[in-house]
Amino acid sequence: FNLAIKSYKKVSKGLHMSDNTKAIDTTGGVEAVERALRVLDIFNPGDSGLSLKEVSTRSGVNKATILRLSVSLEKFGHITRDAEGLFHLGPSLWRLGSVFRQNLRMGPIVRPVLANLVDTTGESASFYVQRGNSGVCLYRVNSKRLARDHVEEGEIIPLGMGSSGQVLDAFSICQGNHVNTIRKNGYYLSLGERDPDVAGLSAPVIGIDDELLGAVSLSGLCHRFNEETVESYRDAVFDAAQKIRSDIGDI
């Protein structure tokens, strides 16, 4: 019986003290992902490179696990290793940080432009960004009309469908059927693609380094997007896209 108790304590200690650290509650999460994030989180300003031992000591993750995790982290550019085997944060984290900072600073610029677009046209205005194979409505100002196209911020759309999805695809992944036409014209008009009653007209916002920042979109009921109005709507969307590009470039 005493031997069994000792064996139980030994196993229990191993379960609760794995990775050379105290037990961490991973309820509701993925333990491997949390270990990878712990490895990334140990770097401090001024670190010129950390040895495997230093990474293990700071993170509490054992060396063998760190080496396994680093294969995936290096593949996605989140960590790099130099000729001496020292670990450094990778360039992908800089890109993610740039996206985060850009999105934070864009709100005060984009929202007034969308509001002005709504006042000018009477239709709803949105700003979409590309995230992987989808588009996300980052900012939205809905029309004051009772009969309108209503979208909430945070809604996700597939690329290559609807005016904003087509524009994001054409200026990022370039897989859609209308890529060349959209890039040549600089906009896309969708009539009933995502909803038979809804039309949309979108144009890209291209940054000063020729990167795609997002797409300005105007949407409303199809019968209001006729030959007479589409031309003025297109000019208004172009002006909005240029205004956002110009204001962001001044920051």
Side-chain angles (χ1 to χ4, degrees):
F1 178 82
N2 290 335
L3 181 61
I5 291 294
K6 289 181 179 179
S7 297
Y8 171 80
K9 289 182 177 179
K10 183 177 181 180
V11 172
S12 178
K13 181 179 180 181
L15 289 173
H16 288 83
M17 297 298 290
S18 61
D19 289 336
N20 302 321
T21 189
K22 296 185 296 182
I24 295 177
D25 182 12
T26 58
T27 303
V30 179
E31 189 172 359
V33 174
E34 293 186 3
R35 286 176 178 175
L37 293 175
R38 279 159 54 195
V39 169
L40 294 175
D41 204 38
I42 53 93
F43 289 86
N44 297 317
D47 285 337
S48 58
L50 301 178
S51 67
L52 177 59
K53 180 179 180 181
E54 288 175 309
V55 174
S56 178
T57 301
R58 289 190 186 185
S59 67
V61 179
N62 67 52
K63 296 177 182 178
T65 300
I66 291 170
L67 291 175
R68 290 197 302 271
L69 293 173
S70 68
V71 174
S72 296
L73 292 173
E74 285 187 84
K75 182 186 297 185
F76 285 88
H78 297 316
I79 268 185
T80 62
R81 296 188 73 182
D82 60 26
E84 298 178 0
L86 299 179
F87 291 84
H88 305 264
L89 291 178
S92 289
L93 297 175
W94 173 263
R95 184 187 67 81
L96 292 175
S98 297
V99 171
F100 176 73
R101 291 190 299 273
Q102 184 183 94
N103 288 348
L104 283 180
R105 72 183 184 181
M106 287 177 69
I109 292 174
V110 174
R111 291 188 190 279
V113 174
L114 296 182
N116 183 66
L117 188 56
V118 172
D119 290 340
T120 301
T121 64
E123 305 296 351
S124 298
S126 310
F127 184 81
Y128 286 87
V129 294
Q130 180 248 337
R131 293 293 182 265
N133 291 319
S134 301
V136 179
C137 180
L138 198 60
Y139 306 111
R140 172 78 173 191
V141 178
N142 284 304
S143 169
K144 298 178 178 64
R145 292 178 171 180
L146 294 179
R148 65 187 181 187
D149 170 43
H150 188 89
V151 172
E152 297 291 344
E153 292 182 358
E155 287 194 21
I156 297 174
I157 61 168
L159 293 191
M161 182 177 293
S163 65
S164 53
Q166 293 277 12
V167 165
L168 290 175
D169 175 81
F171 287 87
S172 60
I173 299 177
C174 300
Q175 294 180 342
N177 297 326
H178 307 288
V179 169
N180 292 333
T181 301
I182 296 171
R183 293 180 72 92
K184 179 180 178 180
N185 294 337
Y187 77 99
Y188 184 80
L189 173 65
S190 166
L191 296 172
E193 284 187 20
R194 296 182 58 205
D195 185 296
D197 297 318
V198 175
L201 193 155
S202 300
V205 178
I206 306 299
I208 57 176
D209 294 322
D210 292 329
E211 77 278 19
L212 176 67
L213 300 180
V216 175
S217 179
L218 192 69
S219 59
L221 302 186
C222 278
H223 72 268
R224 296 202 291 258
F225 281 66
N226 52 49
E227 291 184 8
E228 184 178 339
T229 59
V230 162
E231 186 174 348
S232 63
Y233 285 176
R234 181 190 60 203
D235 291 342
V237 169
F238 280 165
D239 289 344
Q242 182 57 41
K243 174 66 173 172
I244 292 172
R245 171 191 166 96
S246 176
D247 289 351
I248 288 178
D250 290 339
I251 296 180

